Amino acid sequence: MAPDVTAATAASPATAANPGRFLRWDVLVGLLLVAVLIGGAAGSPEFATAGNLSFALGDLGEIAMIALAMTLLVVAAEVDLSVASVLGLSSALVGAMWDGGWAIETIIPLVVVIGGVCGLVNGLLVTRLGLPSLAVTIGTLALYRGLAYVVLGDRAVAEFPPGYTSLAVDDVPGTPIPYPVMLFALLAVVTGVALHATGFGRSLFAIGAQVEAAHFAGIRVKRIKLILFVVSGTVAAFAGVVYTLRYGSARADNGTGLELAVIAAVLLGGVDFDGGKGTLGGVIAGVLLIGLLRNLLMLNDVSTEIQSIVTGLLLVISVITPRLVAAARRRRRPSPSPAPPPPNS
C-alpha cells in the first residue's frame, strides 16, 4: 500500500520539494494577502483598526469553518454544495426548538447531530449509489433549504440567551479576534495535522489523485468519503448555530449563497477541483484574502454587486491560472526520445 500512497501524494504541493516551490499558487495567494493588508492599511485609515479587523474576522467565521471540511472533500475529488442549506436548516431548527421552549444546551448538540445526518445522506448517495457528488449536493441543496422553510416558514426567531450570543460576537480579551475565529484556529490546527501529517491525509491525496490506484492499494475509499460528507454536514450545522447566535436571529434563509464563498476560498487557496492537490495553509490564505478584500471594498463604499463580481473574478482566475501554467509547462517539456530498436538476434 505504501508505494501507491507515496506516489500519489508526491504530487501534492504540501509535500513536493523542488526549486519552484516558492512559485506555488498557494504561496502566491499568501503574498497577495500580504499586499492587500499593506495596501488596505495605507489606503484606508479604518482598515487596520482593531474594531474593523474584529468585524472582518467575525464575518468570516462560518465560511472559514466550513472551508476546512470542504478542503478535505475537494482534495478527495468530491464537493458538497449543500453546506449553506444545512446551515440554513440548522438555523431554522434552532429557532423552532427555542420558540418551542427547548433548552439551548439541548438544542445545539441535537442540531449538530442532524447536520451530520444530512451529510450522511449525501455520502450514502455518492458512495453507495455511485452518483456524482456535484449532482447529489445540488439536489440536497434545494431539499435542505426547503426543509428549513417547512420547519420555520418565513418567521424569524430572536432573543436567544445573552451568554451564548456574546460568545458568538465578543472578542478574546486583549485581542481583536472573535471567539468563533479562535475556535476556527483550533479546528484548523487539527485539520492541518490530519491532512498533512497522518496516513488519513495521505489517503485523501491518493484518492483524489487516482481513485482506482487508491482502491487497489487497500484504501477504504467509500468509507473515507462517507466520513468526509458526515464531517461536512456536522461542521455546516455547527456553523449554522454560530451564525444564528452571531446575528441573534434564526431564519430559514440564513446563509443563502454562502457555499459559493466557501468554494471560492478553497479553490483560490490552491486546492485542485479535480482532487489530489492542495494545502490547508493556502485555503486559510484564500479565506482571509476574500474576506479582507471585501471588507476593504466595503470601507470604500463599493457596492455589494461589485464585491460579488470581484469574488467571482478571483474564483475564475484561481481555476484558470494553474491550468494555464500547467499547460505551458507541458509544452516546454521536451518530448521523450524514441526507444532504440532492439538488437538483431
Side-chain angles (χ1 to χ4, degrees):
M1 178 176 68
D4 289 326
V5 175
T6 303
T9 57
S12 166
T15 58
N18 56 73
R21 63 187 180 276
F22 296 112
L23 297 178
R24 292 195 328 232
W25 179 259
D26 54 345
V27 176
L28 295 177
V29 172
L31 294 175
L32 185 57
L33 172 62
V34 173
V36 169
L37 288 170
I38 295 173
S44 175
E46 298 178 4
F47 179 76
T49 62
N52 182 65
L53 290 177
S54 175
F55 172 80
L57 291 174
D59 206 36
L60 287 174
E62 298 83 19
I63 294 173
M65 283 189 281
I66 297 174
L68 295 177
M70 189 69 73
T71 299
L72 302 179
L73 269 171
V74 178
V75 166
E78 300 292 352
V79 68
D80 184 358
L81 296 181
S82 71
V83 286
S85 295
V86 174
L87 184 152
L89 176 59
S90 169
S91 182
L93 288 169
V94 169
M97 292 179 184
W98 177 250
D99 196 43
W102 291 53
I104 194 72
E105 295 80 8
T106 303
I107 294 172
I108 293 176
L110 181 57
V111 166
V112 170
V113 169
I114 293 174
V117 173
C118 292
L120 178 65
V121 171
N122 288 337
L124 289 175
L125 291 173
V126 172
T127 61
R128 305 306 172 188
L129 297 184
L131 301 176
S133 58
L134 182 64
V136 166
T137 57
I138 286 175
T140 55
L141 176 153
L143 171 63
Y144 297 150
R145 185 66 69 177
L147 289 176
Y149 279 100
V150 170
V151 168
L152 197 61
D154 293 327
R155 296 185 297 133
V157 177
E159 299 183 0
F160 296 103
Y164 284 88
T165 55
S166 63
L167 281 176
V169 297
D170 288 352
D171 297 338
V172 177
T175 73
I177 303 174
Y179 280 107
V181 175
M182 185 60 70
L183 175 60
F184 158 74
L186 295 175
L187 292 175
V189 170
V190 174
T191 306
V193 171
L195 182 61
H196 296 301
T198 67
F200 178 78
R202 289 190 292 272
S203 296
L204 296 187
F205 283 110
I207 292 170
Q210 192 172 14
V211 65
E212 293 84 1
H215 176 76
F216 287 116
I219 297 174
R220 305 295 295 270
V221 175
K222 291 183 178 180
R223 177 180 295 181
I224 289 175
K225 287 187 176 184
L226 184 62
I227 291 172
L228 295 180
F229 278 105
V230 172
V231 169
S232 178
T234 301
V235 172
F238 181 75
V241 173
V242 175
Y243 190 102
T244 302
L245 296 176
R246 184 163 67 88
Y247 284 100
S249 177
R251 296 178 55 91
D253 61 351
N254 277 350
T256 300
L258 182 139
E259 70 279 350
L260 298 180
V262 173
I263 294 294
V266 171
L267 297 185
L268 181 62
V271 180
D272 195 322
F273 196 69
D274 293 329
K277 297 180 182 179
T279 66
L280 190 66
V283 172
I284 294 172
V287 170
L288 293 174
L289 177 60
I290 288 177
L292 293 178
L293 186 57
R294 290 174 69 97
N295 177 260
L296 181 60
L297 293 174
M298 182 185 67
L299 290 176
N300 287 278
D301 295 323
V302 176
S303 66
T304 55
E305 291 80 7
I306 299 300
Q307 295 177 35
S308 298
I309 291 172
V310 171
T311 301
L313 286 174
L314 287 174
L315 178 57
V316 172
I317 291 170
S318 67
V319 172
I320 292 177
T321 304
R323 284 162 170 75
L324 293 177
V325 172
R329 287 176 178 172
R330 284 195 298 269
R331 284 196 298 269
R332 289 197 304 265
R333 191 177 302 157
S335 302
S337 301
N344 293 328
S345 55

